[in-house]
Structure formats: C-alpha cells, structure tokens
C-alpha cells in the first residue's frame, strides 16, 4: 500500500507541469548563474545547486500539496478508507524524495557537461547530505502545509521563507555580503546543508560534522511540530 501511494503521489507532483517544471529547472538556472558569476572552480557552486534541488523538491512541493489536501478535505476523508494517514504522509514524503533524486540527477548531469566532475566516492558520500536535507525539508514542509491549511497560504509561506535564503547564500558564495550579514547567513539551514554537501563533494564528509548535528536537531524539531499540527488539522 505504501509503494502504491508513493507512486500515486509522485504522479500527482509530476502532473502539475508548471510546479514540476519550476522545481526541476530552477536549480539548473541557479547553477548556471552561479557558474557565470563566480566560476566553476568554487566547490560551493555545485553544493548550492544540489542543495537547492533537494530543498525545492522536498519543501515547497510537499507543503503546497499537503495544504491542498487539507483545504479540500482529503485528509478528513482518509478516515473512512483503509489507507492510514501515516502511510499517506509517508507516501507523500517518498514522492518528494523521488522528485529530489530526479532533480539532483539533472544537476549532476548538467555539472558534468559544464566541466564539473563528481567521482563515484563523492557520489557515495553525497547520500548523507541528500538524505538529511530531504528529511529536514520534508518535515518542515509537512509542518508548513499543516499550518497553512490553504494552498495560497502555503505557497506564500514557502516563497517568503526560501527566496531570502537563496539570495543570501548566493551573495555569500560570491563574497558580496557585509561581514555582519554574512555571519547571520552562515546560521541558515540552507548554508548548513551547502556546507555539508560541499564536504561530501570534497571527499571529507566529517569536516562539516557540526552542520550535520545542526540539521539533525532542526529535522527533529520539524518532525515534532509537524506531528502536532497534523493532529490539529485532521
């Protein structure tokens, strides 16, 4: 039942062509822009592209689709079906993970043709930040979706939360932030995930252990808040 629900939720995500196109194309566009501005030699460029690919597929897509399910009574109607809410939500998370994997694959292919090669050992270590980033983004996506309860509100919240982080991280990579603002930007979850991804690409995944701890704690907090909001939303 879980596998069937995950496949169905992935089909729903891909069926919205506008959202799917934006989710898959935006990280590629960002990668091209960063390469043009700071060069392909900066490891943070590829790390940023991969991180944004994971976040875009896991956070806004999940938050908006869950808010739509609550708004139109889908979660409420699940009570009268054999499908449990837990399996339904797990299927949604798995679908977002599959979408994130597709997006990351596109980034890696684009990076290869742009002259940024990633070896097999690096791909293996990339599993750590990819899985951790997906878990953190998914739990907070569930929380925002359950909190918003409406598609329009969830869309607004995800945009107002993400795009300032993208802008700050982009300027941080290019060295265009004042020292005070740069210090604040380094505490953002996006930067911590970029750091963890960069350490995996660099072949030393333990170098950013503090970022991993930071993200684990953030993911746990997101899970607790999501469970509390989902219980209230049902």
């Amino acid at each position: 039942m879980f596998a069937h629900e995950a496949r169905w939720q992935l089909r729903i995500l891909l069926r919205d062509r506008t959202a799917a196109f934006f989710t898959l194309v935006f990280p590629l566009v960002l990668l091209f822009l960063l390469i043009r501005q700071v060069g392909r030699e900066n490891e943070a460029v590829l790390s940023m592209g991969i991180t944004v690919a994971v976040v875009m597929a896991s956070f806004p897509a999940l938050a908006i689709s869950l808010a739509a399910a609550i708004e139109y009574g889908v979660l409420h109607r699940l009570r009268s079906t054999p499908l449990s809410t837990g399996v339904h939500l797990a299927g949604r998370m798995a679908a977002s993970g599959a979408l994130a994997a597709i997006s990351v694959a596109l980034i890696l292919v684009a990076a290869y043709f742009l002259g940024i090669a990633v070896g097999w050992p690096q791909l293996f270590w990339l599993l750590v930040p990819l899985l951790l980033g997906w878990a953190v983004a998914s739990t907070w996506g569930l929380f925002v979706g359950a909190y918003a309860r409406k598609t329009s509100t969830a869309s607004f919240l995800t945009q107002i939360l993400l795009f300032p982080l993208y802008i700050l991280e982009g300027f941080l990579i290019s060295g265009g932030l004042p020292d005070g603002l740069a210090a604040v930007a380094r505490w953002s979850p996006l930067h911590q995930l970029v750091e963890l991804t960069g350490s995996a690409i660099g072949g030393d995944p333990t170098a950013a252990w503090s970022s991993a701890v930071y993200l684990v704690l953030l993911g746990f907090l997101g899970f607790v808040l999501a469970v509390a909001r989902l219980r209230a939303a049902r």
Side-chain angles (χ1 to χ4, degrees):
M1 187 173 290
F2 164 74
H4 175 77
E5 182 66 12
R7 287 195 300 270
W8 176 250
Q9 292 299 329
L10 180 60
R11 289 177 60 185
I12 292 175
L13 290 176
L14 294 175
R15 189 175 296 171
D16 187 344
R17 296 181 180 179
T18 302
F21 177 82
F22 186 73
T23 299
L24 297 175
V25 172
F26 177 74
L28 291 171
V29 173
L30 184 62
L31 178 67
F32 294 145
L33 292 176
L34 286 174
I35 288 177
R36 184 177 179 84
Q37 184 170 358
V38 302
R40 60 176 59 88
E41 294 78 14
N42 192 329
E43 289 185 354
V45 169
L46 180 56
S47 302
M48 178 66 169
I50 293 173
T51 297
V52 172
V54 173
V55 172
M56 285 297 297
S58 304
F59 180 62
L62 192 55
I64 295 170
S65 64
L66 178 61
I70 296 173
E71 182 178 3
Y72 297 111
V74 174
L75 289 188
H76 180 73
R77 290 195 296 271
L78 282 178
R79 298 177 182 178
S80 59
T81 69
L83 181 66
S84 68
T85 303
V87 172
H88 173 74
L89 295 176
R92 285 182 177 274
M93 291 182 66
S96 73
L99 189 61
I102 295 171
S103 187
V104 170
L106 291 175
I107 288 289
L108 292 174
V109 170
Y112 175 81
F113 284 106
L114 290 169
I116 307 175
V118 179
W120 288 109
Q122 295 164 305
L123 289 177
F124 174 77
W125 289 116
L126 267 176
L127 291 175
V128 175
L130 292 182
L131 291 173
L132 188 53
W134 164 76
V136 173
S138 295
T139 54
W140 282 94
L142 290 177
F143 168 70
V144 171
Y147 176 82
R149 301 173 67 94
K150 290 185 178 181
T151 308
S152 58
T153 306
S155 178
F156 171 76
L157 287 176
T158 54
Q159 291 180 33
I160 202 171
L161 288 171
L162 284 181
F163 281 100
L165 297 182
Y166 292 158
I167 294 171
L168 285 175
E169 188 64 23
F171 278 108
L172 186 62
I173 291 173
S174 62
L177 284 181
D179 291 341
L181 194 55
V184 174
R186 290 189 179 94
W187 282 98
S188 78
L190 187 71
H191 177 74
Q192 296 296 320
L193 187 54
V194 169
E195 286 287 297
L196 187 60
T197 304
S199 68
I201 293 175
D204 187 11
T206 60
W209 64 269
S210 59
S211 296
V213 173
Y214 179 96
L215 292 169
V216 167
L217 294 175
L218 187 65
F220 178 75
L221 177 61
F223 175 78
V224 172
L225 293 174
V227 170
R229 289 301 306 182
L230 284 166
R231 286 177 176 172
R234 291 178 56 189

